[in-house]
Amino acid sequence: RDLAVRATSLPGHPSPGVLVVLHDISELRRLESLRHQFVANVSHELKTPLASIKAYAETLRGGAINDQENNLRFVSRIEEQAERLNQLIVDMLHIARVEAGEEAFDITQVGLRSVVDSSVTQYAQSAKQKRIQLVVEPPSHRAIVVADEDGLRTVLDNLLSNAVKYTPEDGTVTIRWRSDAGRCILEVQDTGIGIAEEHQTRIFERFYRVDEARSRDLGGTGLGLSIVKHLCLAFDGTVELESVRGQGTTFRVYLPAAVS
Ligand code: ADP
């Protein structure tokens, strides 16, 4: 442990004395180092798309603007990278608000079915392009959870989008839920690339990716699972995963069930 020692003479004490104050600064050091790491990560993440935007703009200015075959392609790249920057900023602000307890949640009773259906509709197209089957297992009951509906949709969207992203063609993504001891347990299971054990504990950290280049190419910001974790905690729930590399991953979200 790191201890900061402060020696103070005692004012007004009849005999010359010393008061020794011990502060545990190891926790402060840890927080400070996390903060540094976060700022470094943010800078790196913002610089990458910015550098691409600059490079494409310079190429256009340097003559490519007259190249009828490629100039629109370069403009599209600029737009993609600008969108990436936008997504990063939106995600970072979202995490900051949730963490600071400043996100205004409307905690109500939410039917899981409709949230699952809207998320499935959103990712149906990208799943179809990879011939991935999106399966919603028929639930044994109508689950109602206590959460913020938009937040819950964000949780599902992130899990489903990852499941489709990290599952190769012809795979399957299954969504199912059940109730147990006053909680609702929602699972998103895929037959994708899986996550090796050494990465599993770190996967919910901001910007942590197993394969940085691959995730970036797939449009990931590295913030999705961190948002999922924070939202689940804000709803008095939790999230965990089970995964075997090369075989697939199951994310399991536990949420308080509404009392019927
Ligand atoms: P990203 O935007 O990079 O997808 P996330 O925070 O959503 O960021 O996920 C962090 C990392 O966890 C991903 O980069 C990927 O390496 C890994 N990951 C997330 N979901 C899955 C999954 N279903 N299968 C395999 N790997 C996954």
Side-chain angles (χ1 to χ4, degrees):
R1 294 224 134 187
D2 286 321
L3 294 173
V5 181
R6 192 154 57 90
T8 320
S9 60
L10 293 171
H13 199 276
S15 58
V18 171
L19 175 69
V20 177
V21 185
L22 300 174
H23 294 275
D24 180 357
I25 57 166
S26 50
E27 180 60 9
L28 285 178
R29 282 238 171 96
R30 198 183 66 83
L31 290 175
E32 183 63 8
S33 133
L34 278 179
R35 203 179 60 81
H36 267 124
Q37 204 182 326
F38 178 63
V39 172
N41 282 339
V42 170
S43 316
H44 174 72
E45 296 296 332
L46 295 178
K47 271 183 182 164
T48 314
L50 266 179
S52 292
I53 291 175
K54 271 179 81 176
Y56 284 121
E58 276 163 19
T59 312
L60 282 168
R61 183 194 282 280
I65 200 151
N66 299 317
D67 172 355
Q68 297 292 329
E69 275 186 18
N70 287 310
N71 56 8
L72 282 183
R73 201 163 54 86
F74 289 149
V75 172
S76 300
R77 295 287 173 276
I78 291 179
E79 281 171 345
E80 276 165 23
Q81 295 300 319
E83 178 46 35
R84 190 180 155 68
L85 270 180
N86 184 49
Q87 195 55 50
L88 266 170
I89 292 165
V90 167
D91 283 357
M92 282 191 305
L93 290 177
H94 193 184
I95 294 186
R97 279 199 311 270
V98 175
E99 253 188 338
E102 284 166 3
E103 182 80 354
F105 290 122
D106 180 16
I107 305 287
T108 53
Q109 301 201 349
V110 187
L112 261 187
R113 179 87 219 195
S114 68
V115 177
V116 168
D117 284 348
S118 87
S119 204
V120 165
T121 308
Q122 191 175 336
Y123 293 99
Q125 190 55 32
S126 34
K128 201 173 156 199
Q129 277 167 7
K130 293 171 79 181
R131 293 186 305 275
I132 290 174
Q133 246 193 305
L134 280 185
V135 180
V136 180
E137 273 189 9
S140 54
H141 68 298
R142 209 174 137 254
I144 314 273
V145 297
V146 182
D148 170 82
E149 188 164 349
D150 289 341
L152 189 56
R153 192 163 289 134
T154 305
V155 167
L156 249 162
D157 284 354
N158 276 311
L159 294 180
L160 209 53
S161 120
N162 279 347
V164 172
K165 258 196 309 194
Y166 300 109
T167 296
E169 294 190 341
D170 299 309
T172 307
V173 173
T174 311
I175 302 162
R176 62 173 77 85
W177 60 88
R178 63 195 149 89
S179 283
D180 180 40
R183 294 179 309 178
C184 230
I185 304 159
L186 169 76
E187 283 182 3
V188 178
Q189 181 178 40
D190 65 53
T191 56
I193 59 174
I195 302 165
E197 213 173 325
E198 70 260 32
H199 298 292
Q200 291 182 12
T201 49
R202 303 203 54 195
I203 216 85
F204 294 99
E205 290 174 19
R206 296 164 174 142
F207 299 120
Y208 190 85
R209 298 144 166 146
V210 175
D211 179 342
E212 198 163 319
R214 179 181 202 153
S215 158
R216 223 189 275 272
D217 287 350
L218 293 169
T221 60
L223 292 171
L225 286 180
S226 177
I227 292 178
V228 166
K229 187 184 91 178
H230 280 104
L231 286 172
C232 288
L233 290 177
F235 304 153
D236 285 331
T238 49
V239 54
E240 62 178 33
L241 83 144
E242 223 174 272
S243 185
V244 179
R245 202 164 152 221
Q247 289 187 22
T249 306
T250 303
F251 280 93
R252 204 167 287 126
V253 172
Y254 296 80
L255 290 167
V259 216
S260 47

